[in-house]
């Protein structure tokens, strides 16, 4: 069986170090490709040689000494460098005859760069999948399929931290994925808790005929990522980093005749490690069966545009 050769550029946490070959969960690009029979993890390239060596030793693959050397052996490239280097690395790797790139979010730090990357990848005909993680989680894919059963979207609230672009973009992408496009936005500056050029903002997003409010919490206090969505037939509440989901239905009150309440009907935990599995399966099906990418560069560019608008408060 033919296997696609994979190289990881950026041998840090999400590229290589969040897990090991015998971890129960898949938490890195390396592990995601290693565990899929259609791919062969070839090795790592990192500008920090120690990181390249550490990752190569951990995953028992090659430690490339240059990007050129790494790209000579790559069909598929994971781009897992820090946000500030996404543009530079995505631009450089598009010069090589590669078949697909799996890039970490955000696509770039600004819209000019995102525009250039989208144009370049279109021109070179290289599919670019962006890792907005929640899109690939099995339980959320199921939730999206049945979202119309909840009725009309009314209002929602989300809590996040670590910057509107760095982490808030995960929330914006996720609600766009579930509910559709954002038609209008407002924001107020709140504070900086992570990167100096990426404030946390209070935001109001109009979408799907309703409104979604984003409230930041300083990440030095706690890491928070929670969403509560109200519809006219139900409610979806996601807590604990959206790992715990509670589904409610609007039902007649058991106590007061003529009143309706949101009554809990189902609670479940989400298995996040399905995210990398589904992302890599999707990548294989894009390469072999012309399936659509689950998170396209255009999705990531759209989210970036929204974040940039919100930052200008
Ligand atoms: N999708 C998610 O849920 C999720 C989770 C964590 C991190 N991320 C994203 O992943 C990216 C990496 O985060 P991390 O925590 O793994 O960072 P990290 O700092 O642990 O690792 C990044 C590595 O990239 C290397 N690097 C920097 N510039 C390079 C270059 N030009 N070429 C090759 N290597 C280079 C660094 O030396 C470092 O080892 C970030 O963009 C972050 O936003 C996404």
């Amino acid at each position: 069986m033919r296997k696609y050769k994979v190289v990881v550029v950026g041998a840090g946490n999400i590229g290589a170090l969040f897990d090991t070959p015998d971890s129960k969960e898949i938490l890195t690009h390396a592990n995601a490709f290693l565990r899929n029979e259609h791919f062969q993890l070839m090795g790592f390239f990192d500008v920090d040689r120690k990181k390249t060596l550490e990752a190569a030793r951990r995953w028992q693959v090659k430690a490339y000494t240059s990007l050129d050397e790494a790209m000579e052996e790559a069909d598929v490239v994971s781009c897992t460098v820090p946000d500030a280097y996404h543009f530079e690395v995505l631009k450089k790797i598009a010069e090589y005859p590669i078949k697909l790139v799996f890039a970490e979010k955000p696509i770039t730090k600004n819209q000019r760069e995102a525009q250039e990357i989208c144009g370049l990848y279109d021109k070179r005909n290289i599919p670019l999948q962006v890792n907005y993680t929640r899109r690939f989680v099995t339980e959320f894919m199921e939730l999206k399929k049945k979202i119309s059963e909840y009725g009309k979207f009314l209002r929602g609230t989300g809590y996040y931290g670590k910057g509107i672009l760095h982490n808030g973009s995960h929330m914006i992408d996720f609600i766009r994925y579930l509910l559709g496009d954002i038609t209008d936005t407002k924001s107020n500056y709140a504070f900086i808790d992570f990167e100096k050029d990426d404030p946390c903002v209070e935001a109001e997003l109009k979408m799907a005929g309703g409104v979604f409010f984003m409230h930041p919490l300083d990440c030095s206090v706690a890491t928070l990522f929670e969403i509560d969505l109200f519809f006219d037939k139900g409610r979806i509440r996601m807590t604990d980093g959206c790992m715990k989901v509670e589904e409610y239905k609007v039902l007649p009150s058991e106590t007061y005749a003529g009143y309706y309440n949101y009554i809990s009907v189902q609670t479940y935990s989400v298995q996040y490690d399905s995210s990398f599995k589904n992302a890599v399966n999707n990548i294989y099906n894009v390469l072999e069966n012309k399936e659509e990418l689950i998170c396209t560069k255009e999705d990531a560019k759209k989210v970036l545009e929204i974040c940039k608008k919100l930052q200008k408060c």
Side-chain angles (χ1 to χ4, degrees):
M1 184 179 60
R2 172 172 183 214
K3 290 191 181 210
Y4 291 99
K5 295 177 180 170
V6 181
V7 164
V8 178
V9 177
N13 291 329
I14 198 145
L17 305 179
F18 270 149
D19 62 5
T20 63
D22 34 66
S23 294
K24 242 174 89 192
E25 286 185 282
I26 301 179
L27 303 176
T28 58
H29 287 244
N31 206 358
F33 285 111
L34 185 85
R35 293 206 193 178
N36 187 303
E37 58 175 349
H38 300 297
F39 295 92
Q40 182 181 2
L41 179 65
M42 299 300 293
F44 297 91
F45 172 67
D46 195 296
V47 285
D48 179 341
R49 184 68 186 153
K50 272 200 218 135
K51 284 281 188 66
T52 311
L53 291 171
E54 185 185 354
R57 198 177 322 111
R58 179 174 298 198
W59 297 97
Q60 294 291 297
V61 291
K62 293 185 190 174
Y64 297 109
T65 53
S66 69
L67 190 66
D68 264 346
E69 190 196 356
M71 290 301 109
E72 262 172 39
E73 300 201 320
D75 294 319
V76 172
V77 183
S78 273
C79 172
T80 55
V81 298
D83 299 4
Y85 302 99
H86 289 185
F87 174 63
E88 168 190 320
V89 171
L90 287 174
K91 200 172 160 180
K92 245 189 223 163
I93 60 183
E95 288 169 14
Y96 297 89
I98 51 176
K99 293 186 166 53
L100 187 145
V101 172
F102 186 20
E104 268 310 327
K105 47 53 62 180
I107 182 166
T108 56
K109 288 281 277 184
N110 66 54
Q111 287 153 281
R112 183 190 51 74
E113 293 173 350
Q115 189 67 38
E116 192 175 329
I117 292 300
C118 288
L120 184 61
Y121 277 69
D122 279 339
K123 197 167 142 206
R124 304 293 315 263
N125 206 15
I126 304 169
L128 175 55
Q129 174 100 290
V130 181
N131 192 20
Y132 277 111
T133 326
R134 286 169 186 81
R135 280 182 184 248
F136 307 104
V137 171
T138 304
E139 290 83 352
F140 296 147
M141 291 163 99
E142 295 303 316
L143 194 59
K144 181 179 165 64
K145 278 190 213 153
K146 64 173 189 182
I147 200 90
S148 62
E149 291 172 20
Y150 291 83
K152 185 174 152 19
F153 173 61
L154 303 172
R155 312 175 82 74
T157 307
Y159 294 95
Y160 76 102
K162 260 198 183 178
I164 187 67
L165 180 59
H166 187 78
N167 234 16
S169 67
H170 267 300
M171 187 166 284
I172 294 169
D173 181 73
F174 188 34
I175 56 164
R176 266 193 88 233
Y177 172 69
L178 290 177
L179 300 172
D181 259 333
I182 290 159
T183 51
D184 198 12
T185 63
K186 273 190 211 158
S187 57
N188 285 311
Y189 174 86
F191 50 79
I192 302 269
D193 67 344
F194 188 56
E195 286 165 349
K196 277 199 263 101
D197 61 348
D198 185 19
C200 276
V201 301
E202 296 277 356
E204 185 182 325
L205 312 175
K206 295 250 166 66
M207 59 194 314
V211 59
F212 183 79
F213 297 93
M214 290 176 72
H215 301 298
L217 185 97
D218 191 323
C219 71
S220 65
V221 176
T223 298
L224 193 62
F225 195 96
E226 295 190 354
I227 292 178
D228 202 354
L229 302 172
F230 287 87
F231 301 79
D232 67 356
K233 291 186 186 158
R235 171 184 180 189
I236 305 164
R237 182 164 178 258
M238 296 176 260
T239 53
D240 197 10
C242 291
M243 295 215 277
K244 197 174 147 214
V245 181
E246 292 164 64
E247 296 187 18
Y248 298 74
K249 273 193 177 149
V250 173
L251 293 169
S253 163
E254 285 167 9
T255 318
Y256 298 106
Y259 284 74
Y260 288 84
N261 297 133
Y262 285 97
I263 312 256
S264 173
V265 289
Q266 199 186 173
T267 301
Y268 52 90
S269 295
V270 167
Q271 303 305 318
Y272 262 93
D273 89 323
S274 67
S275 177
F276 267 125
K277 278 187 213 156
N278 291 331
V280 168
N281 274 334
N282 177 230
I283 286 172
Y284 175 71
N285 285 322
V286 169
L287 290 168
E288 284 288 311
N289 305 319
K290 305 264 178 268
E291 196 173 282
E292 301 277 303
L293 286 169
I294 290 174
C295 190
T296 65
K297 59 187 187 311
E298 286 76 22
D299 289 316
K301 184 163 150 277
K302 187 80 208 168
V303 169
L304 177 73
E305 280 164 17
I306 295 162
C307 289
K308 287 290 156 190
K309 224 169 138 192
L310 295 172
Q311 281 180 344
K312 281 191 201 137
C313 47

